[in-house]
Amino acid sequence: MRTGPVGETIDSHRHRALGTESRVSILGIVRAAEGGVTIAEVGERTGLHPSTARAHLDRLVGAGLLVKARASGGQPGRPAWRYRLAAGNEAPAPAPYRALAAALLDHLSRRTGGDVRAEATRAGQDWGRHLAAATPPGADPLDTLFEVLRGLGFSPRLHHTGDGRTEIHLHTCPFLELVKRNPDAICNLHVGVVRGALEHAGAPPAGAVVEPFGAPDACVVRLAVPEPGPARRRHRPAAAPTPR
């Protein structure tokens, strides 16, 4: 490791990742796309073969410049990867929790032969129920979910869509480094946490989905839970309209 002229440590891994014109160009495309891009979109804009575009994108993920996740919007089947810039200012979860989560991911990967989504969701539901049990009993399901998400460090905010649906935007990801390591597992772990918290609070969990990068600056939790009355919104950040 060497020191650059402004006193910053040179990250040779990242410098090598940007050592080709194609990857520099791809990074610029992702930076300009607020909601991230898919491999197909990169191929269309650069003329690269999809396998070549995938290799470049994954090299940028490995260097910590991009993160990827599957943005399904709750649709069936396995959706395409969506890539976006890796944020640099998230407050990570405490090291022991990150180490525990990493060990869990490795264990699930070995058990399931690589596709860990269903197992991660089930593990997350158990975790979500456990976390929700520590919140005040009898609370509205949305309030319970907010307390769980806030306690984990997700910086949740409530949003309303133009068609009357309820969403929670997660503006930080305390486990972002694990998303880079195993997006399917950690994102579905979060899906399970949401569903487990709702289930503990007496709300139907099946309608809740988490869309990674669903908003320009946040992941989006889409809910099928009605809003409570005004008297029960005291502890929740004010809702903001979501343009559609």
Side-chain angles (χ1 to χ4, degrees):
M1 302 294 285
R2 297 172 291 150
T3 301
V6 295
E8 296 178 350
T9 302
I10 294 174
D11 187 337
S12 58
H13 187 46
R14 290 193 177 194
H15 280 245
R16 285 195 298 271
L18 294 173
T20 71
E21 184 178 344
S22 292
R23 284 197 287 272
V24 173
S25 175
I26 289 171
L27 188 63
I29 291 170
V30 179
R31 181 177 286 116
E34 290 187 339
V37 296
T38 63
I39 293 168
E41 289 168 345
V42 169
E44 289 172 1
R45 298 180 194 183
T46 62
L48 294 172
H49 188 276
S51 62
T52 304
R54 179 187 298 109
H56 285 315
L57 286 162
D58 286 341
R59 178 71 181 271
L60 293 170
V61 170
L65 294 165
L66 301 181
V67 291
K68 68 177 183 178
R70 298 188 192 274
S72 68
Q75 299 302 313
R78 176 171 287 197
W81 289 113
R82 183 163 288 275
Y83 297 77
R84 68 175 288 180
L85 285 177
N89 58 353
E90 286 80 3
Y97 286 96
R98 299 201 308 274
L100 179 62
L104 172 65
L105 298 185
D106 290 341
H107 174 70
L108 291 178
S109 296
R110 288 193 298 271
R111 281 192 58 188
T112 59
D115 187 3
V116 301
R117 295 185 298 166
E119 287 287 343
T121 301
R122 283 192 285 270
Q125 281 193 261
D126 289 341
W127 191 19
R129 285 190 291 266
H130 172 75
L131 294 172
T135 62
D140 180 83
L142 267 179
D143 289 329
T144 297
L145 179 57
F146 254 80
E147 287 302 312
V148 168
L149 294 173
R150 185 185 294 116
L152 287 172
F154 282 103
S155 303
R157 288 189 65 85
L158 186 69
H159 282 249
H160 298 300
T161 69
D163 55 5
R165 291 180 298 159
T166 301
E167 296 179 346
I168 297 175
H169 287 202
L170 308 178
H171 290 277
T172 58
C173 179
F175 301 96
L176 187 60
E177 66 188 69
L178 297 180
V179 173
K180 299 173 189 175
R181 176 173 175 167
N182 195 328
D184 276 343
I186 199 67
C187 291
N188 280 276
L189 192 71
H190 296 161
V191 171
V193 167
V194 168
R195 293 178 179 177
L198 291 173
E199 183 181 19
H200 179 84
V209 297
V210 177
E211 184 176 349
F213 316 150
D217 60 349
C219 294
V220 178
V221 180
R222 307 195 191 280
L223 300 170
V225 178
E227 274 275 25
R232 303 191 70 180
R233 298 177 185 164
R234 293 190 302 275
H235 305 298
R236 201 180 311 150
T242 302
R244 292 288 176 189

